Structures are given as structure tokens and as C-alpha cells.
Amino acid sequence: MKRGFLTAGGLVFAAVLFFGVNAITGAAWKSARFDFTEGKLYTLSPSTHDVLKGLYRPVSLRLYYSKSMANAVPEIRTYAKRVKELLEEYVAYSDNKLSLEIIDPEPFTEKEDRAMKDGVQGVPLDETGARFYFGLHADAGKDAKGEGGVADVISFFQLGKEQFLEYDITQLIHGLGRESRPIVGVIGQLPLKFGAVSVAAIKRGEVQPYAILEEMQKFFDVRFIEDMREITGADILLIVHPKELSDRALYFIDQYVLRGGRTLVFVDPFAEFGTLPTKFGDLPAMTDRGSSLGRLFDAWGIEYDVNKFVGDRRNAETGTTGFEINQSANEEVVRYLPWFRLGSESLNQRDPATSGLEHIDFATAGALKPKSGATTTFMPLVVTSQDSKLFETSELVGNMDPEKFLRNFEPVGQNFVVAARITGLVKTAFPGGPPPVELPKETDKAAKEDEAKKKPEMPSEVEVERWTYPPIGQSEKPVNLIVVADTDVLHNSRWTMSGDFYGHKTFTPTASNGEFVVNALENLVGGDDLISLRSRGTSYRPFVRLHRLAQDAEERYRSHAKELEDRVQGAEMEIKNLRSQNIYEKEPGKLAAREQVIRDIYQEMFEARKEQRDVQRKLREDIDALAAKLRFLNIGLMPLLIGFLAVGIGVYRHFRHGTRWSAEKQGEVSPS
Amino acid sequence: MSRTFIIMKRELASYFATPLAYVFLVIFLFLAGVFTFYFGLFIEQDQADLRAFFDFHPWLYLLLMPAIAMRLWAEERKTGTIEFLMSLPIPFGATVLGKFLAAWAFTAIALALTFPIWLTVNYLGEPDNGIIFAGYIGSLVMAGGYLAIASCVSAVTKNQVIAFVMGVVVCFIFTIAGQPLVTDFFSSWAPRWAVELIASFSFLTHFDAIIEGVIDVRDVVYFSTLIGFFLYANAVVIEFKKAS
């Protein structure tokens, strides 16, 4: 180094350089980082980058986090830090289209009111009435064209859904940043719009739309497809109970899927609810309640038998839960195998469509399985327990006696798939080209006139070609479909409890069926970006060894602890009973005796409590002993070892020095 | 570079020539353990990470790094050996860098001796060792920042106690720059960008990001430019002192 540089001027220049370089890198290099975390927790996936790049309008994010109250819950504190940093990463990548505000809604402040107004859920952590907030509100303000002004919220970041954190945030932003609500085209015979009522009732305005329809309309523009030409305008197709679909209609669906169209399908071997009455007002024949997509399923690699339904003994609903069951007039509580409630252990926790849901209620659901030699990947989303068996739908006709299914029930020890996601490349189900145009039958003139009024004039072959673009024989990119083998899952009675609020019909969810449908649609409509978003690792890592120790100790003392608890409770109850017996108070002798009895019970209770405390202390003993050992090892051991080493070296040097010194004195070695 | 290495070796050996190095190691390891287990509530937090351990490093370094570095130049100046050092056929920059690297290597040894805590956390749970690795790197780099400052301050005075106190003060300013104590003072009158700039020079801000498992290029640039600047300032101060 030349000393000419070492001047006051050089120092000033170096200072300017130091501040300048840091100011520039601070502003310009916002996303260059090395993520050492196991699951790359702080690195946004390419899918999220694509969503952020494609943002149509600015979105403001407000993270509500009760920082002041979070000390009581360490795992939430860790998680909150991750959420905050991930959101900052979103903002850094968003090219100024996202903004983030972090708000601590302290109890009983205006900020708390704002959190509530924004739909963020407050959770009481203690009995003071103060609520803990941890949610994200996002709104897309109106843009120059006056579009926007929509908002959405993650009301509470649940710890259990941490692996879907990025997915949930990206979905939220994606939903707000898009230009308009996605169009869901609905095909099929389930009367979502009117309920299963007669045409006359519809005319009288006595319609009962499915609650699921209202749920869907919150997020999507739902359009009922009357004319198959309209499916090309749908962002996603919802096929519910596809009975009697013509080959031409199936062809349209086939081409839609091959061209990358996302589709959610509900078929059913036996649709118990929502079957439309015939034109004479009767319910359709019991033998005619099934639906399938037949040749399309073959092409997509799905095997499904429309004549069979699953019975699940472990998850079966109990009691006389429906009108059909009541026919048995059985007063005893029994399990009705065809109806079951599948909880989180039956729902695929690694798929965004089913992860985090509590339970889904099914009724006479069918079973799906991958077809041998299929080109697609079949991923189960919902499965029954192994305590299940397939039944013929013909067994449902006539007598629906619950005991009939329980009798001779022998589980096959296999999980049946009730809902699945199908991905991959598929070939057309119509290799021979489009089926010929079907014209209305000439048999019933009135029906023909009716059809003519309802439908546009049937097009020519050439026109059909024009609607659907040239037919393709193979999917251009992997298809993404979700197939559910039950349509009753959509019916109000399976997942809601209806009520009346000042003349307005209300529905309170009792199962996650609605959430499942909306999740699945959102997931499918999100396109490749959302679908390919991978689930991430969790940042909460407990001391498993300590937990295991605590569990072992608890196992050891559980029966004793329970016995003590029973003793204390029994004593408390006895004292309460004795005190409430006023009759004794009128007779002094009995009063004294009663007091003595109460004193004895108290004594016994105190002893039991003392024992309880001892047990509690013993439960902690192993953990405390281990903690003490670890404290010593980490605080004392190393300093002690170094201390000994230092003393050892000192002693060694002293003696070495001493030996050398005496040798030098005797002239044996010359001093160095 | 080899001359820098020679200086570094000589300095590092001189640390262990006296009991001071052992005393320092004992104090560092003892305090790190006490802070982690008693103030950081390592066991009670029930989290298989070393957050409770790393969280106290800035405060430990605030006192211990100036203690290590106080003798680097102050002692040489007091005993007059600086004249001898300057007369050696070794570039001046190599001397400054060598002394700094020796102190840094000594800190690295001290840090490496905390490995029982890493074993402990792996014994108790399943930690993310990537985050722990980043934490150790961050801690070492931050220690380098403190040492560079303290080394520069040590060159200003012949008195080691004054060098220590001044080192602590300057390091403290760099530690808390991003804390409300400082930002609140500036935010009342300074523009927002200026406050953010001041906050961005805090050791804590940069270190906090690293111990989460993410090493940002901005953190790397910050610590390396800081070390570079203070070593340069160190050389300038010695040049001035020599001239006067």
C-alpha cells in the first residue's frame, strides 16, 4: 500500500464510498440472497414470481399481528416472523405493485377496530377480553379504468397450514390482481340454481338454490351452460351429475380438457339428493340415479363403476339422520354405512384442495381408481378408511334399513378413493373425430317445440367445427382435473344447518364441503402458477426429546393422576352435597357431625392434592434433570476444560522453563 | 499475502503466550452459555434452533471484541515496538491486515468452541442446520466488524483502557443504529430516507436477517465494506500518529 493514499482526503473518500456503496446496494439489490434454510423458506418459487409479474393492478397488503401479545405463544412468534419476511420478499419482487403495512392491533384501540372491519379474526388468548390478531387483509384499489375496489382476507394464519403459506398468499394476491372474476361454466343435472323442485314451483318462485352456489358466486362468475358452444368462454368447467349427456356434449368437454381447460367433476353412483322430479312430479326411479362420464373417464385413465358405492364402517354416520333411514323405523342408534364423514386423516394434506379442511360429509359415494395402462397420474384426495366395502347400488332400492348394510359386513381392508386429482397428458376420447350432430327427435311434437324455444337452432357440421376450433387428438400440455364420486356432497343437508334470520334463509356450515369445492375451483383456476406451487417446510421445530420424556412420564403416571383427580373431584362434590343439605342446620347435633364429616373430606382432599402436586413434580423430574445436565455441559464444561488446559500449559511452561534455566546454570546448554 | 500471514501467526501466538487468551475464552464461553440458557431461555423456548444463542452475540461482542482489540495497536505504541514494526520489510497494509486477521482467527476459535450448543440442539430436536450454519457465518462476520472498529480505535491512543472504552462506544453506536432509541430521535426531524439509511447501518438489522438462515448480498456488502473502511481508517490513523 502506498502511504500517499493514507491521507485525510482519502479517509473522507473512503467514508463516502462506504456509505454510497451501502446506500446503492440497499436500494438496488433487494433480492440477491443465499437461502440456507432446509425448505428454502425465504425463497419465493418461480410460480409466485410469475403471479407477481402478471399482476394487473396494485394490491395493498395489511398484516395484522398482535406483536405485544405474541410472547405468550413462541411458535406463533416464529411463524409471524416468517410470514412478515415472506411478505417483504413478495413486495421486493412485485415491481412496486404490492405494498405492505404491518399493524399491531393493540387491544381496545382504533387499530383493533380496523382489524375487525377488515375481517381479521381475533382470538382470545386469556380471560382479559384482549384478542390476538394474526391475519392478512389485501385490497386492490380502483385503477385508472375504475376497475378494482375488491378485497380479500386471510382471517388468521393457522400454524397447521404453514406448508401452504406461500400458496395461500399467492392465491390471495392472484385473486385480487386478476382483471375479472373467473367464469365457472356449469354442466349437468344437479339443480344448483333452483333446488330439486318442480317446474311449477320454479314458476311460483319457490326456488331453493344450493348454498354451494352462493359460496361459489362470492369468488366466481358462475354461468350455467345451456348451449355447449358457451364452454369455450369458461375459465373452468364444473360438471355436476352428468346424466344423459349426448356424445356431442362429451366431445365438447373432451376438446375443452385437451386444450388445457380445468375441470372439476362430480359424478355419483346414486344421487340421493337433488334429483329433479319427472314432468309428472314424481321422483325418478331409484334405479336411475347414477351418473358417469363414461368414455371420457376411460380416456383420462379413471376406473369408476357407476353401479357400486362405498360403505365405511369406521367413519359411518350414526343415528336416524335422514328420511330414507327413518323408513326402517329403527329407534336404536346404528351406523349407516353409506353415509360417512371423512376427517383430516382421510384428506390428502399435501394437496391445497383438501389440506387444512376439517371433514367432508358424503352420502352413497362411489369409488375411483386408476385404470391400468393410464397415461395420467392419479392422486387420491379423499379416501375412506380400510374398514370399508363396496356395495351394489341395487341394494339401496326398496328397503334402506341401516342394519341391512351392517349385517355380514366384511371390510376388504382397502382404502377406497372418493375424490382424486388427475394430471398428465391424455388422448382424445373421440379418435374417430367429432360425433355427428344430433337433432331433436321427431317423436314428440310438443317437446320438439319446447326444445326449439329453449335451444338455438341446431347448427350445421361446419358451424360446429367453427365453435370448437379444429379437433385435436392429444392434450397440448398436462391436464388437471379433480373428480369426486359423489354429488350429494354438494347438497345443503350434507354440510349446512339452515336457519331463518328475519325472513332471510341462512346457512351455517357444519362440514367443510363448501370450502372443498371453492378450494378445488380456486386451485384449478389459478392455472399452472398456483398448481405448481410446492408446499414448504415448517419453521416450528420442537424439542422432540423433551416432549418424548414428558410423554413417557405422563404414561407412567397417568392412571395414578386420574385416580387422584377423581378423588379430589369426588371430595368436592361430596362437600357440595353436604353443604346443600339444609336439614342438618336445624339440628345442632347433626350440624356438628356434618362439619366433622366435611373436615374429614377436606383433609382427604388436601392429601390427594398434595399427592397430585408430587405427581406433577415427578412428571417434570426427568426433563429438569436433563436440562440441568445440558446447562452444565454448555455453561461450565468448556470453560472448565480450557481452565485446566491453561493451568496445564502454565505448569508445563514453568517446569520446562525451570529445567532449561537449571541446565543453563550448569552450562549444559547454551542460552538462546 | 505471506507477510500478512507471518504477522497474523506472530500475533495469534502472542495471544496464547499469556493467560489472557484463556481468560478471554473462558469468559466468552461462560457468558455465551449463561445468556443462552438463562436470559435466552433456550430450554423453555422449546424451539430446536440457536436463536437464543445467537441473539446475544452482538451484546457479547460489544464488550469482548474491544477487549481483544484494545492491545492491537495501543500496546505497540505504548511500548514503542510500533517503530520497530514499521521498520520491518513488511508492507504497512500487511501489518494492519495481519493484526486484524489474528484477532479475527482468535474469535473464530472462541466461536468454534461453542460447538456443544450445536450438539445439544441436535440432540434435543431436529434443527435446521442450514440456519445454524448461516448463524455461525453471520456471527463471525459481525465479530469481524466489531474487531475492525475496535482495532481502528486502538490505534488512536496509547492507553488500552481508553481504547477499550472508546471501542465500546463506537461499537455501541453501530449496534443500536436501527433501534427505536436512535430512529425515534432522528425520525422527528430527519427525512424518512435518512432515518432508513441510518437504520440500515445497524449491526443488529443485518445480523438478525442472517441468523434466520438467509445471507443477503446487502449484508455481505455491509460487513465487508465496514471492515474495509475501518482497516483503512486504522492505517490512516497510524500514519498520522507516526507523522506527528
Side-chain angles (χ1 to χ4, degrees), chain A residues 201-381:
Chain A
I202 294 171
K203 280 181 184 163
R204 287 197 302 273
E206 293 169 3
V207 291
Q208 292 179 318
Y210 274 46
I212 197 80
L213 181 63
E214 273 181 42
E215 282 297 302
M216 290 195 295
Q217 281 168 336
K218 284 182 196 166
F219 306 94
F220 309 101
D221 181 356
V222 182
R223 294 183 191 169
F224 290 87
I225 292 176
E226 304 283 342
D227 177 343
M228 289 307 279
R229 279 180 293 186
E230 292 165 7
I231 80 167
T232 50
D235 295 307
I236 182 170
L237 212 55
L238 173 64
I239 303 174
V240 283
H241 204 34
K243 274 175 73 67
E244 296 170 18
L245 282 186
S246 66
D247 276 357
R248 176 58 73 172
L250 290 175
Y251 172 73
F252 272 78
I253 296 169
D254 175 70
Q255 289 295 308
Y256 180 84
V257 169
L258 291 182
R259 287 175 190 283
R262 316 282 175 190
T263 309
L264 174 59
V265 184
F266 288 86
V267 289
D268 203 332
F270 189 90
E272 293 191 39
F273 304 104
T275 43
L276 287 167
T278 62
K279 61 185 172 185
F280 305 110
D282 305 323
L283 284 169
M286 294 288 272
T287 48
D288 187 25
R289 292 194 178 186
S291 57
S292 173
L293 276 181
R295 62 196 295 180
L296 291 186
F297 278 178
D298 284 344
W300 298 343
I302 304 167
E303 206 173 298
Y304 158 75
D305 188 342
V306 71
N307 297 313
K308 285 186 176 142
F309 71 92
V310 193
D312 184 346
R313 187 165 58 181
R314 188 185 302 165
N315 297 305
E317 287 189 22
T318 53
T320 53
T321 40
F323 63 96
E324 280 107 341
I325 301 175
N326 276 335
Q327 287 173 353
S328 73
N330 194 331
E331 292 299 319
E332 285 177 34
V333 175
V334 289
R335 287 172 189 271
Y336 185 58
L337 300 187
W339 289 13
F340 43 78
R341 162 171 287 200
L342 299 179
S344 54
E345 70 286 350
S346 297
L347 309 175
N348 187 336
Q349 297 300 322
R350 298 191 69 79
D351 193 286
T354 39
S355 155
L357 301 182
E358 274 186 31
H359 53 252
I360 305 177
D361 288 3
F362 293 88
T364 51
L368 304 165
K369 59 179 175 182
K371 203 177 153 194
S372 60
T375 54
T376 48
T377 306
F378 181 96
M379 188 170 72
L381 294 181

Side-chain angles (χ1 to χ4, degrees), chain A residues 35 71 260 271 294 451 542 545 646:
Chain A
D35 187 346
N71 283 339
E451 282 287 312
R545 191 170 289 269

Side-chain angles (χ1 to χ4, degrees), chain A residues 464-532:
Chain A
V464 171
E465 293 286 325
R466 209 174 60 231
W467 302 337
T468 58
Y469 313 107
I472 53 171
Q474 195 171 328
S475 55
E476 290 158 345
K477 53 182 182 174
V479 301
N480 203 315
L481 313 157
I482 292 178
V483 180
V484 185
D486 185 29
T487 57
D488 301 313
V489 75
L490 302 170
H491 193 262
N492 298 357
S493 66
R494 297 304 294 147
W495 70 282
T496 62
M497 204 169 59
S498 65
D500 199 286
F501 186 73
Y502 294 103
H504 179 71
K505 193 137 187 154
T506 58
F507 295 101
T508 312
T510 54
S512 313
N513 300 27
E515 220 179 318
F516 167 55
V517 175
V518 172
N519 272 4
L521 287 172
E522 269 289 357
N523 173 256
L524 291 171
V525 89
D528 298 330
D529 291 338
L530 276 184
I531 289 159
S532 60

Side-chain angles (χ1 to χ4, degrees), chain B residues 2-141:
Chain B
S2 63
R3 288 173 185 177
T4 307
F5 188 64
I6 292 166
I7 295 282
M8 181 188 153
K9 248 173 68 178
R10 169 194 172 264
E11 278 293 323
L12 194 57
S14 75
Y15 278 110
F16 290 96
T18 64
L20 199 71
Y22 301 98
V23 171
F24 175 83
L25 286 177
V26 167
I27 292 174
F28 174 75
L29 295 171
F30 179 75
L31 286 183
V34 168
F35 281 154
T36 306
F37 281 85
Y38 288 97
F39 298 107
L41 301 174
F42 176 70
I43 301 277
E44 293 77 0
Q45 293 266 351
D46 190 22
Q47 262 282 53
D49 61 27
L50 288 189
R51 183 89 210 199
F53 169 67
F54 289 121
D55 268 348
F56 292 99
H57 282 205
W59 307 104
L60 268 175
Y61 291 162
L62 180 61
L63 293 174
L64 297 176
M65 293 304 120
I68 292 178
M70 66 186 184
R71 52 177 286 282
L72 278 181
W73 294 101
E75 195 182 25
E76 302 271 14
R77 289 189 55 208
K78 192 181 173 189
T79 54
T81 48
I82 193 164
E83 304 302 331
F84 168 71
L85 200 64
M86 292 297 116
S87 66
L88 290 174
I90 295 172
F92 185 47
T95 312
V96 173
L97 192 61
K99 276 176 164 285
F100 164 77
L101 288 178
W104 207 8
F106 179 68
T107 311
I109 293 167
L111 202 55
L113 288 173
T114 62
F115 71 91
I117 190 76
W118 175 72
L119 295 178
T120 302
V121 78
N122 274 279
Y123 171 75
L124 288 177
E126 290 159 0
D128 185 336
N129 283 311
I131 297 179
I132 295 176
F133 174 72
Y136 270 105
I137 296 277
S139 180
L140 188 62
V141 169

Side-chain angles (χ1 to χ4, degrees), chain A residues 25-26 56 129 164 218 229 399 414 430 575 600 620 665:
Chain A
T25 51
Y56 174 72
F164 289 101
K218 284 182 196 166
R229 279 180 293 186
N399 183 12
Q414 179 192 335
F430 295 87
I575 291 168
D600 292 346
R620 288 285 311 174
K665 264 182 89 175

Side-chain angles (χ1 to χ4, degrees), chain A residues 364-413:
Chain A
T364 51
L368 304 165
K369 59 179 175 182
K371 203 177 153 194
S372 60
T375 54
T376 48
T377 306
F378 181 96
M379 188 170 72
L381 294 181
V382 183
V383 294
T384 63
S385 75
Q386 295 206 344
D387 197 13
S388 306
K389 185 193 162 186
L390 281 180
F391 292 94
E392 293 286 332
T393 48
S394 57
E395 289 187 56
L396 290 161
V397 181
N399 183 12
M400 280 192 168
D401 176 10
E403 286 183 349
K404 185 174 81 176
F405 300 106
L406 278 168
R407 237 174 276 136
N408 308 322
F409 177 84
E410 279 177 26
V412 290

